[in-house]
Amino acid sequence: VGFEDQFTKDKTVIVNFHGYPETIKALLFNYTHDPQRFDIRGYIENGSTTTPFDMHVRNHTSRYDLVIAIFEHLGKQEVLPFAEAQHIASKYKQKIAENTEYIKRSGIDSPEIDEWTWIAK
């Protein structure tokens, strides 16, 4: 199975990598003819150490950032109406802004973030 079979030739791919985004970009260089369809996210040295969630926000790797990226791509590709996709993305941008303000006031992530647990059904 080839690279294009795994990632298709006509779909956006969002990668949330635990290291530097340039590492993945270097790997893609040899395998794809259209690197613009890859949205690579990872560690970016930016500012000082803060809360765990805020570090994800600064690196654009938080769960909210990934939802925003998905809906922005769906809107641009007209899979969803652009206005609807932007409305959903703006809801999660607001959640990021609210948590950022909470961190500035309290020095910790909001309870919505800090107490979140995965519930498998």
Side-chain angles (χ1 to χ4, degrees):
V1 178
F3 182 85
E4 296 290 347
D5 295 324
Q6 290 294 315
F7 293 105
T8 68
K9 293 181 180 182
D10 62 342
K11 302 289 187 293
T12 299
V13 179
I14 299 171
V15 179
N16 193 16
F17 183 56
H18 67 277
Y20 294 101
E22 291 74 22
T23 304
I24 298 297
K25 290 176 184 176
L27 290 171
L28 290 174
F29 182 79
N30 293 323
Y31 292 100
T32 185
H33 298 289
D34 184 14
Q36 299 303 317
R37 66 190 181 93
F38 286 84
D39 182 348
I40 313 296
R41 290 152 186 267
Y43 180 70
I44 302 167
E45 293 185 38
N46 181 5
S48 63
T49 303
T50 180
T51 69
F53 188 77
D54 193 45
M55 289 301 293
H56 280 291
V57 169
R58 291 171 185 236
N59 289 297
H60 308 287
T61 60
S62 76
R63 57 182 161 241
Y64 296 148
D65 284 295
L66 296 176
V67 169
I68 292 165
I70 289 165
F71 281 97
E72 286 179 345
H73 285 289
L74 290 173
K76 287 177 189 171
Q77 296 167 358
E78 299 179 348
V79 175
L80 282 178
F82 185 79
E84 180 181 346
Q86 290 300 303
H87 175 72
I88 294 168
S90 70
K91 184 169 93 172
Y92 289 96
K93 289 177 184 178
Q94 181 61 36
K95 285 192 164 287
I96 289 172
E98 289 167 3
N99 190 64
T100 300
E101 285 304 311
Y102 187 91
I103 291 167
K104 288 177 183 177
R105 286 191 315 272
S106 64
I108 59 173
D109 287 321
S110 69
E112 176 184 0
I113 301 298
D114 194 44
E115 296 171 5
W116 183 85
T117 59
W118 179 268
I119 301 174
K121 294 184 180 190

